[in-house]
Amino acid sequence: MSQEDSSNALLHFLARLLKFKGLIISTTLMAGVAAVLISLYVLKPYYQSFALVYPTNLTMHERTSLFGNASTSGEDGGYYGTKHDANRILTVANSQWLIQQMIAKYNLAEHYGLSENTPYLASKTTEKFMDQFQVYKTEEDAIRINYIDTDPELAANLINDMVQIIDATITAPIQRNKEAMVVEMEKQLDSNKNALSLITQKIQSLPDTAQSNILNSQFEQQLSRVEELQQLVDQYSIAASTNTPGLEVIERAYPAERKIKPIRWLVCTVSVIGTFILSCLIVLLYDGFQRLQNALGDYTSDNR
């Protein structure tokens, strides 16, 4: 196609658009008004709340870390944890039991406008929640727990509750293990104390003989063992009484003052531009269809 033909075709398209300019302008204006009304009165504003946490070193309050030397306490003696501790937070935060607990606590099915008769109610509620919930690791290796909702208070409270539950879930097994070790060491201490008491009774009931010297040697060994176990019991008790946080909250979630979506001006702009382009395309298609009909009619008349 030559440049002149291209110019003629463009002028033809412009002429057709100008012919239907009233329809195009009115349709575009109606779309703009509708977009404004919908964005103001139909689309609900959504607010974002989030918390930033760092994983902590869960071994920092264990007995070996508190009372061991540099060689036994390990190299990771800092306050903040490793990527494994961060992955533990991510796993718990994305777990279904925690998500379902939040859905039940805040009655999110009703909050999302779903009735009890809705088919697959649990699945749809979970899908809606997951669309608005996100947890991920930032570039600074912090964990961001994020939730978007139409109720800013609910969003902030939900995130803060999740942080507390995640912390308790991570630290509970370690705390149980510490307490179990205290109980086990106390059993061993009691058993050795009983053995020491029996040796003492035997020494007191025997005269100063060679057998008594042997018992005295056993007494010293058993006493040393009792003292060692008593020290371990004290150390494990101190470790068990020390609360180990599973995470450090850098920023708590708070109710957002400004909405994150919808962006009303963007909705209106996209609607107006889209409607204008679509109207122009429809006009051109309509004109092309009319020209095709006229051409077919002329062809049929010429062949008669």
Side-chain angles (χ1 to χ4, degrees):
M1 180 181 293
S2 64
Q3 184 176 1
E4 183 178 356
D5 292 336
S6 300
S7 300
N8 291 334
L10 179 60
L11 290 174
H12 174 76
F13 288 147
L14 291 176
R16 304 314 297 173
L17 292 177
L18 289 174
K19 178 180 179 182
F20 293 95
K21 64 180 181 181
L23 177 63
I24 294 174
I25 293 174
S26 61
T27 303
T28 303
L29 289 176
M30 290 175 61
V33 172
V36 171
L37 295 176
I38 291 174
S39 62
L40 288 175
Y41 301 106
V42 177
L43 296 180
K44 295 181 179 180
Y46 281 81
Y47 302 87
Q48 176 179 256
S49 288
F50 66 91
L52 285 176
V53 302
Y54 269 102
T56 57
N57 180 9
L58 295 176
T59 65
M60 63 181 171
H61 290 150
E62 290 185 354
R63 187 194 70 84
T64 54
S65 298
L66 292 172
F67 301 100
N69 52 36
S71 61
T72 59
S73 60
E75 297 180 356
D76 298 329
Y79 182 78
Y80 293 107
T82 63
K83 62 179 182 179
H84 302 292
D85 299 303
N87 291 336
R88 190 179 296 110
I89 295 175
L90 293 173
T91 301
V92 176
N94 284 308
S95 61
Q96 277 299 310
W97 69 265
L98 178 58
I99 292 171
Q100 296 305 321
Q101 185 173 344
M102 292 297 100
I103 290 175
K105 179 176 181 179
Y106 290 94
N107 194 15
L108 293 183
E110 181 178 345
H111 178 68
Y112 294 152
L114 301 175
S115 65
E116 295 181 356
N117 298 325
T118 302
Y120 309 107
L121 177 61
S123 298
K124 290 183 178 180
T125 305
T126 303
E127 290 173 2
K128 179 68 173 177
F129 179 87
M130 296 306 296
D131 288 339
Q132 301 175 189
F133 173 72
Q134 191 178 23
V135 54
Y136 59 91
K137 187 186 296 185
T138 67
E139 294 180 356
E140 294 77 20
D141 291 332
I143 304 297
R144 175 172 171 136
I145 306 174
N146 195 82
Y147 182 67
I148 300 173
D149 198 86
T150 55
D151 186 342
E153 291 284 347
L154 183 149
N157 293 335
L158 184 145
I159 290 297
N160 289 326
D161 284 348
M162 290 190 77
V163 169
Q164 292 182 358
I165 295 174
I166 292 169
D167 189 11
T169 302
I170 292 173
T171 57
I174 296 176
Q175 186 62 30
R176 287 196 299 267
N177 183 63
K178 288 181 180 181
E179 295 172 354
M181 287 300 300
V182 172
V183 173
E184 180 61 28
M185 297 307 299
E186 287 178 343
K187 289 181 180 179
Q188 294 187 27
L189 178 61
D190 292 339
S191 176
N192 281 269
K193 281 183 177 180
N194 292 333
L196 180 64
S197 178
L198 291 176
I199 294 174
T200 302
Q201 293 176 5
K202 290 181 179 180
I203 292 175
Q204 293 175 350
S205 63
L206 292 175
D208 188 11
T209 61
Q211 187 177 4
S212 178
N213 292 333
I214 295 174
L215 290 174
N216 285 331
S217 177
Q218 293 179 353
F219 175 82
E220 294 296 332
Q221 294 178 0
Q222 189 63 32
L223 179 61
S224 177
R225 176 61 178 163
V226 168
E227 291 175 348
E228 179 183 352
L229 286 172
Q230 182 63 61
Q231 183 181 23
L232 289 174
V233 168
D234 293 340
Q235 292 178 355
Y236 277 112
S237 298
I238 292 174
S241 64
T242 304
N243 294 324
T244 305
L247 50 85
E248 178 72 14
V249 180
I250 304 301
E251 183 174 353
R252 283 176 52 85
Y254 61 90
E257 295 180 352
R258 299 179 62 182
K259 63 180 177 63
I260 189 174
K261 63 178 184 179
I263 305 175
R264 292 192 172 93
W265 69 265
L266 182 60
V267 172
C268 297
T269 302
V270 171
S271 299
V272 170
I273 295 176
T275 303
F276 175 77
I277 295 174
L278 183 61
S279 299
C280 292
L281 290 175
I282 292 175
V283 166
L284 293 176
L285 288 173
Y286 175 74
D287 178 67
F289 180 73
Q290 277 192 330
R291 292 176 63 189
L292 179 61
Q293 278 188 326
N294 293 334
L296 290 174
D298 294 340
Y299 177 78
T300 303
S301 300
D302 293 339
N303 291 333
R304 287 180 179 178

